[in-house]
Amino acid sequence: MRIFAFFRSGSTEHIRFKDLVEGLEQASSNVEVEFIDPLRHPRKAQEFEVTNDYGTVVLVKGEARQRLDADFSEEALSQALIRLQSAADHRICWSVGHGEVDPDDDYQPEGFGAVVVKMEGTNYTVTKTNILTQGVERECEALVIARPLFDLAPVEQESVAAYVAEGGRLLVLLEPGFANDFALDLERYGVVVGDDIVLDMDLYSRPYAFSEDPSALVFDYSDYGVHDITNALRGSTMLITT
């Protein structure tokens, strides 16, 4: 098994992960670890689809791969090793038929294609599931219902409930104002979807809030942390609640 660790040389993440895997290398002669600086070796980074220099770890065994992009703890590494060596089928079922986000869409801004590619890179298989005609297969490690625009039929809601009752995992992403009956049905799982807005009132003590009315804020780019979503922002951003 080979572990490719992409970190900036000398970074805190590099040093911490090196200390972590040294014990793994000593415990097994079948583990080979290679540290790669993505800035110095861009072609190697491109080969493994590494798009940042904050840290990415790719574990490879034959054709199987596992990937760590944010959490490089001992627990995350151990779980990745277990999944890598498991012969089980790690399948995610993706609900379709209610206007959900298409898992194959990697062109639209709201598409989840990039997320699915990441999952497939860690030995997960994402399959589309029509709950009305297929039910929910118990082999699914998780059922994803991503931004349904229409309510699930009562029989579909019961299929989901039976799957969860038998130990299935459920991830629901809701868009405000859509699939309201389904949102209410989530109460059976102890999830209450409120019809309200969550505001961080600490923001409104800052000088760039227009007034005590939290309907508009202006953020300078320096207020954002380091993240792929905000790295390209180089001006002020106005957020308006309507």
Side-chain angles (χ1 to χ4, degrees), residues 154-176:
V155 65
E156 294 177 293
Q157 295 179 16
E158 294 305 320
S159 292
V160 173
Y163 166 74
V164 173
E166 294 178 22
R169 301 176 178 91
L170 176 64
L171 172 62
V172 178
L173 308 176
L174 294 177
E175 189 77 15

Side-chain angles (χ1 to χ4, degrees), residues 104-126:
D104 296 329
D105 182 4
D106 54 3
Y107 296 100
Q108 303 298 323
E110 65 272 15
F112 272 61
V115 176
V116 171
V117 169
K118 292 276 190 180
M119 295 172 65
E120 291 174 341
T122 56
N123 289 357
Y124 283 98
T125 300
V126 178

